Each structure stands twice: as C-alpha cells, then as structure tokens.
Amino acid sequence: MSRTLHGVAAALAVLLASSTAAFAQDPSGKLVVVTSFPKDLTSAFQQAFQKAYPKVTLEVLNRNTNAGVKYLQETASNNGTDLFWASAPDAFEVLKGANLLQAYKPKVEGIPEKVGAYPINDPEGMYAGFAASGYGIMWNSRYMKANELPAPKEWSDLAKPVYYDHVAISAPSRSGTTHLTIETILQGEGWEKGWRTNKEIAGNYRTITERSFGVPDGVNSGSFGIGIVIDFFALSSQASGFPVEFVYPTVTTIVPANIGIVKNAPNKAAAETFVDFILSPQGQEVLLQPAIRRLPVNPATYAKAPADYPNPFKDTSLGSQVNFDVEVSQARYNVVDALFDQLITFQLDGLKAATRAIHQADAALAKKPNDKAKALLAEARDLVAAMPVTAQEAADPQLSGAFTVERKSATDAVPERQAQVEQKWAAFAKDNYAAARKKAEEALALAR
C-alpha cells in the first residue's frame, strides 16, 4: 500500500512539474505587430491566436509597407514592436540589411524549402514565409460587358486603346504589393522594355489609388473595370460574391508574404509563438477563409481548399517565367518607387494626353497608311517610353541613398538632394510627354 501511494505521489509530482513547466512557457502579455495587411486578414488571425493563447493581447499597428519599414528604422533605438508582417520580401531585406530583425527557426514541419523557384524562408532565418502571393489582373465582368471590353490576359493587353480610362493601380510608393508587381514586370521584361510596358499601361489608367485595397474596392463597385492587384484581392472578392475574374499574366512571380521578429522584441516568446501559430495547420487554414483567400505555404492545406483554388505547388506554370531576384529589387527599391511617382503618378494627366493622341493617330493610320505619320508615331511612343536613368544607375547606392523621405504628394517637402533628382525626372517626363503628344497629333493630321 505504501509503495502504491509512493508511486502515485511520484506520478503526481511529475505531472505537476510538467504542468508547471508548460504553464511557465505559455506566452502572455502584449504582442505588438506592425503590418501592411488589411483588417480582414489581421482580425481573423488575431481572433484565432488569442483564442489559442488567451494570455496574449495582440496589438496591430497598420502601416503601408514603406511606412512600416521607416517606422521600425525610426524607433530602433527604443523599439516597442515585436513583429513585422507584410507581403514584400524586399522590405524584409531592407530591415535585415539594417540589422533590425532577429533570427528564429519555426518549429512547424511540412513546409517546403521553395514555392516555385523562390525560397519560402530567409536562409539566415531572419524572416519566414507564411503565404504565397502572385500578381495579376482582376476585372468586373458586368462592367466589361456593359463597356464591350474583352478580357485581358497579359500585361501588354492593358496598353491597348480599348482599355483607355478603364484601368487602375495603387502607387508602389504607397503599396508594397504594387511595388512587387512593377518590379516583377521590370525583371521579367528587362529595365527598358519593362518601363515601356508600365508606362504604356499607365497611359490607360483611370486613377492611381493611395492604398492597395482601393483598387479591388473600385473594381468590386464598378467605379472602374480593371485593376492591377495581388491575387488574394481578387480571390477574396470572388468568394464574397462580387462579379470579378482574375488572371495571372505569363510574366508574373509567386513569392512568399512574410513575417519576422524585430530585433530587441519586447515580447520575444509571444512573437515566436505567433510565428509558429500562423504556420501551423490551424493558422494555415485561416488563409482559406472567404475574406482572406491567400495561398498557404503548407501544401497539405490545399486539401481543404475549394476545387478551383490556385495551387502553386501543383501548377508549376505560375511564376515560372520570372526568377525574381530580391537583391536586385532591394538595391533599387526607393529608386523604382520614385521613378514611378515622378514619371507616372504626378504626371498622369500629361501621360494620358500623350497616350490618347497616340491611340487616335494609330486608329487613323489603320484606315489610311502614311509612312511619315508612321515614323512620327514611332517617335512619339519612344518619347513616352524613354527613361532618365539606366538599370545600372538605379542600383547605384549614391542615387538610391538620395531618397530618404516617402512622398505622399508632389508638394511634400523632401531633402534637397532628393528634390533635385525628382525635379529633374519630373521635367524629363513632362517635356517628353508634351513632345510625344505633339508628334502624335502631327501624325494624326497627316493620316486624315
């Protein structure tokens, strides 16, 4: 009897010790996350995580990607953030290069090393992929029918005259996902051709929104017909019953959306637990919710997805045409954003006027060929496509280092060096678009 009691007492002691250890390891306290993701995604994970770990209070600070990076840079000396959570891998490379992240190897198993040709996790463990994302074109099918517009398939389709004033995008300087889209086209087609494509499409823009979710909202409502978006915006709109369709152009890439623990995180234990949670089967299934509709990085999760759900682990054609180089993107990140703003965002009226004149001359030439008019039209197109810097110059640290302040408008105050470069680019674009419009109008006169 005494031996039995002794054995029971020993077993209880072991159980109590293990329970105490588990209790001690259970995370608690405030967990601060800086993220660019919309509330639909963050609130779903917040509810699921806090249900699993009720002692943790998750505080979400929403910033666009660029603003989030700058926030962490500015608060590094007195950091109060535990996690950075965003789509753009090059933003994480910026933080990694500034020594603002700390390594962590997730405990979750079953996640491949790559999605397509792209590594899911940072090889040094500074950030981890939790969802895959592709970039493409969404459209409102009712709008397209009402305006007799064909469904686009490739980026180049959006430059066609039929889409004039029907396309929208968000500014890459205000949206990390749009930056990735622009950079994907530049890497997929090359610097010169890629910018030509981007500017020819831009000539057909109806608007450029400040935040990325402004584009799917506009397509869903029929404010404009076509949007350049990250895939989950279209997939979640479809799941919510909006009459939208989506296509991945040939030149696209599938890259992971990421999460990283900030250096000197106040609540490192809770941060590690959150990373493991979003990679767990329970966390990955959250991505399938109708309001989220992102691509899980755990292939097993797709067994619970709808039948027509994109699966980059089975459809190897997705992103196969672009071997996205995050180091190239990171080196010219600020330059690409500034070029887009100075050549497109802040010069949109002039670009659209030149594009409209080119479309009109092109239509006239189709009816009445004229060699001189054809040559003038080619010159007009080249003027629109011309770039003030080369790819090599864009990656030069001396140039990229000039862009230290994020612009929200053309009138924002910026450092003198940045202002000088931007003014030069803006003048270049303004002059070229005016000259292009003039040549296109001359071509039109000759073709009449």
Side-chain angles (χ1 to χ4, degrees), residues 49-101:
F49 179 73
Q50 291 190 165
K51 184 177 181 180
Y53 299 93
K55 295 178 182 178
V56 179
T57 301
L58 188 63
E59 181 178 324
V60 177
L61 303 180
N62 191 267
R63 304 278 194 280
N64 71 55
T65 304
N66 290 348
V69 169
K70 293 186 186 304
Y71 175 79
L72 294 181
Q73 291 171 332
E74 292 168 357
T75 60
S77 61
N78 188 28
N79 177 53
T81 303
D82 298 295
L83 291 161
F84 183 64
W85 197 18
S87 289
D90 36 11
F92 285 84
E93 283 296 307
V94 171
L95 293 173
K96 176 182 171 181
N99 196 28
L100 293 177
L101 299 175

Side-chain angles (χ1 to χ4, degrees), residues 242-267:
F242 289 102
V244 302
E245 296 182 51
F246 176 80
V247 67
Y248 293 104
T250 304
V251 177
T252 192
T253 188
I254 302 293
V255 299
N258 304 283
I259 190 165
I261 300 176
V262 180
K263 187 176 182 181
N264 299 320
N267 197 343

Side-chain angles (χ1 to χ4, degrees), residues 142 220 235-244 290:
R142 293 176 185 167
N220 291 342
L235 297 175
S236 61
S237 292
Q238 289 174 336
S240 298
F242 289 102
V244 302

Side-chain angles (χ1 to χ4, degrees), residues 37-45 47 213 216-217 220 230-242 285-295 306 309:
F37 293 130
K39 188 175 181 179
D40 286 342
L41 185 147
T42 58
S43 62
F45 274 102
Q47 291 171 14
F213 51 75
D217 286 351
N220 291 342
I230 191 169
D231 52 13
F232 72 84
F233 279 140
L235 297 175
S236 61
S237 292
Q238 289 174 336
S240 298
F242 289 102
E285 287 173 24
V286 172
L287 297 170
L288 303 178
Q289 292 184 13
I292 299 176
R293 284 294 197 258
R294 300 203 64 149
L295 309 182
Y309 209 79

Side-chain angles (χ1 to χ4, degrees), residues 25-28 31 49 52-53 56 83 104 107-108 261 267-280:
Q25 293 173 2
D26 200 22
S28 62
L31 179 65
F49 179 73
Y53 299 93
V56 179
L83 291 161
Y104 176 65
K107 299 180 179 67
V108 180
I261 300 176
N267 197 343
K268 182 182 176 183
E272 292 176 350
T273 301
F274 186 81
V275 172
D276 287 333
F277 177 80
I278 67 173
L279 293 173
S280 71

